[in-house]
Amino acid sequence: MKDHSSLLITVSGRDRPGVSARLLSTLSVFPVTLADLEQVVIGGRLVLAALLVVDESVAPGVSHERVFEEVRNAVEKTSIDLDMDVEFSYGNERVGAASAEQLHVTILADPLRPGALGAIASCVARAGANIDRIERLASYPVTSIELDISGADQERLRGDLAMEAATQSIDVALQPSGLHRRAKHLIVMDVDSTLIQGEVIELLAAHAGCAEEVARVTEEAMRGDLDFEESLRRRVALLKGLDASALDAVRDELVLTPGARTLIRTLKRLGYECAIVSGGFTQITDALVERLDIDYSAANTLEVIDGKLTGGLVGPVVDRKGKALALERFAAEAGVPLNQTVAIGDGANDLDMLRTAGLGVAFNAKPVVRQQADTSVSVPYLDTIVFLLGVSREEVEAADRNA
């Protein structure tokens, strides 16, 4: 015996203007309400699913079986007129707001292969979760797919997804759903090898003729033989005597990471505030603040006397701890809670900042940073960060057209 508590109608076929309106108009004459509705268009084909229940307030005591039979007959006629396929299913429960936490799984890949997406879906299934919706956010410059899921053990799933992402050579982010995702955010970015390509101190060292010496100190720091402040002071000391005009030359040599302008422009249009925090130098970052309309910044300051670099620094050093403190300070000034901050960086010096933020993103980062960050992005396009925030490529391009 059929359960006539609800009726699920699924219509599919070639998309064209007026299809949805015609189908919904067909339903409008019956004493039913929409318990759930979903529509997607992919490859020029439309799929529309409508879950109906009988409206007892309009037709009390009416036979559900009879109402749904009349609905079926009407929808079948309409679908024939529209040259669409239609399927009916009885007794489907409404998919409402589940008590389990709702999560977003965002995938970035270039290219995205079916096997990789299947492997991620298997991770979700093993975690006892259900995929409620799949949406494409972008096909350029990478393919980005977002899964809305429910019922997962978040920590277990996060670990499984990280391992599968490494196996499949894709990037995967797991984030809670909720209104906070649409609220005002603060985005804090590292500068060297994140917002810009390359390292400023290496560009300065090239002008000073000490590139090899600076590179050796940098290598010691990367091996963990030196902490950041010691390595920075040793490298800056090698710049002693460099004419301050070299700073102007380096500013002219800066190359932004692909997608940097698009990222910041899009975030500003969304009402987000943007900050940069750097172990580099204010003489360089101040120009980036003006050039890109950055809201907040923190960096070290090279000491300059009589037009020459002294080899020293002015004021406290912005190191690993200092970057995290700067993020907290910027968030307080912007009136943004920490769980609505996003930090982006590539080196171990960024780890405290990435952990402090609501979402820490390792951008083309060292392995130790990728392992400890909330998520990683391994493609060379900084604007792919917007996909992690649920913004689609179509929305970015529409905002550009309407600017």
Side-chain angles (χ1 to χ4, degrees):
M1 184 175 179
K2 291 181 180 178
D3 174 6
H4 289 90
S5 60
S6 62
L7 175 65
L8 177 65
I9 302 172
T10 306
V11 178
S12 61
R14 181 175 62 86
D15 184 39
R16 55 197 182 279
V19 171
S20 302
R22 177 77 183 278
L23 289 166
L24 294 172
S25 178
T26 298
L27 298 174
S28 66
V29 300
F30 298 99
V32 294
T33 60
L34 287 166
D36 209 349
L37 183 68
E38 194 82 33
Q39 176 176 306
V40 64
V41 177
I42 183 169
R45 289 188 64 83
L46 174 146
V47 179
L48 172 65
L51 183 62
L52 308 180
V53 294
V54 174
D55 188 349
E56 296 283 357
S57 66
V58 174
V62 70
S63 166
H64 292 194
E65 182 176 3
R66 179 179 174 182
V67 171
F68 288 149
E69 187 64 30
E70 292 175 354
V71 168
R72 283 190 59 154
N73 292 335
V75 171
E76 284 175 342
K77 290 177 181 178
T78 300
S79 63
I80 291 172
D81 291 344
L82 294 171
D83 193 25
M84 306 286 282
D85 296 323
V86 62
E87 294 181 1
F88 301 95
S89 176
Y90 289 100
N92 297 274
E93 293 184 0
R94 177 181 178 181
V95 181
S99 58
E101 184 176 19
Q102 308 293 296
L103 303 170
H104 298 292
V105 177
T106 310
I107 301 166
L108 305 177
D110 184 25
L112 177 59
R113 295 184 170 84
L117 186 56
I120 296 302
S122 295
C123 284
V124 173
R126 287 196 299 272
N130 183 63
I131 299 175
D132 302 320
R133 185 177 183 184
I134 301 176
E135 179 183 8
R136 177 184 61 82
L137 294 177
S139 56
Y140 170 84
V142 299
T143 299
S144 180
I145 302 291
E146 186 163 271
L147 314 180
D148 292 349
I149 69 171
S150 58
D153 178 330
Q154 185 173 345
E155 290 310 310
R156 173 188 170 186
L157 180 58
R158 189 184 301 279
D160 288 351
L161 289 175
M163 288 189 291
E164 197 60 62
T167 301
Q168 300 295 333
S169 298
I170 60 177
D171 297 319
V172 179
L174 178 67
Q175 302 173 70
S177 183
L179 289 175
H180 71 277
R181 204 180 190 209
R182 300 183 182 91
K184 179 181 177 182
H185 278 65
L186 170 71
I187 312 296
V188 182
M189 292 167 280
D190 176 41
V191 176
D192 292 5
S193 298
T194 300
L195 181 63
I196 66 171
Q197 298 183 39
E199 302 284 327
V200 165
I201 197 164
E202 293 179 2
L203 296 174
L204 290 169
H207 284 273
C210 59
E212 291 185 4
E213 294 92 329
V214 165
R216 279 197 292 271
V217 177
T218 300
E219 181 61 29
E220 287 184 60
M222 291 181 64
R223 290 198 307 264
D225 297 337
L226 296 174
D227 68 18
F228 177 80
E229 181 171 350
E230 183 180 356
S231 71
L232 178 64
R233 291 190 182 279
R234 281 180 53 179
R235 287 177 289 176
V236 169
L238 293 169
L239 303 178
K240 183 177 180 178
L242 179 64
D243 194 279
S245 63
L247 293 168
D248 297 325
V250 167
R251 281 193 289 267
D252 292 338
E253 294 169 15
L254 294 181
V255 178
L256 294 174
T257 298
R261 286 186 182 277
T262 301
L263 172 67
I264 294 171
R265 182 175 67 245
T266 301
L267 294 176
K268 299 287 282 186
R269 286 172 178 165
L270 288 169
Y272 290 18
E273 299 204 32
C274 299
I276 54 176
V277 58
S278 175
F281 313 111
T282 57
Q283 287 91 341
I284 303 300
T285 58
D286 286 352
L288 290 169
V289 167
E290 184 175 353
R291 180 178 172 185
L292 298 172
D293 191 24
I294 301 293
D295 299 292
Y296 307 95
S297 69
N300 299 299
T301 299
L302 293 165
E303 184 178 56
V304 179
I305 298 178
D306 296 331
K308 302 285 186 180
L309 273 65
T310 67
L313 297 167
V314 178
V317 169
V318 178
D319 56 6
R320 175 169 168 169
K321 182 178 179 181
K323 286 189 171 187
L325 291 173
L327 182 148
E328 292 177 340
R329 184 171 69 253
F330 298 155
E333 292 179 24
V336 174
L338 286 177
N339 67 352
Q340 288 169 209
T341 62
V342 179
I344 309 166
D346 73 301
N349 194 39
D350 299 311
L351 275 173
D352 287 6
M353 177 177 74
L354 298 183
R355 290 171 181 153
T356 300
L359 176 66
V361 182
F363 182 74
N364 291 299
K366 316 299 187 292
V368 65
V369 182
R370 291 200 305 270
Q371 292 165 7
Q372 298 185 48
D374 294 319
T375 189
S376 64
V377 172
S378 55
V379 295
Y381 311 108
L382 197 57
D383 54 334
T384 56
I385 300 297
V386 300
F387 307 142
L388 302 181
L389 304 175
V391 179
S392 71
R393 171 56 61 181
E394 286 78 7
E395 289 171 317
V396 173
E397 294 175 350
D400 285 341
R401 288 193 300 270
N402 297 328

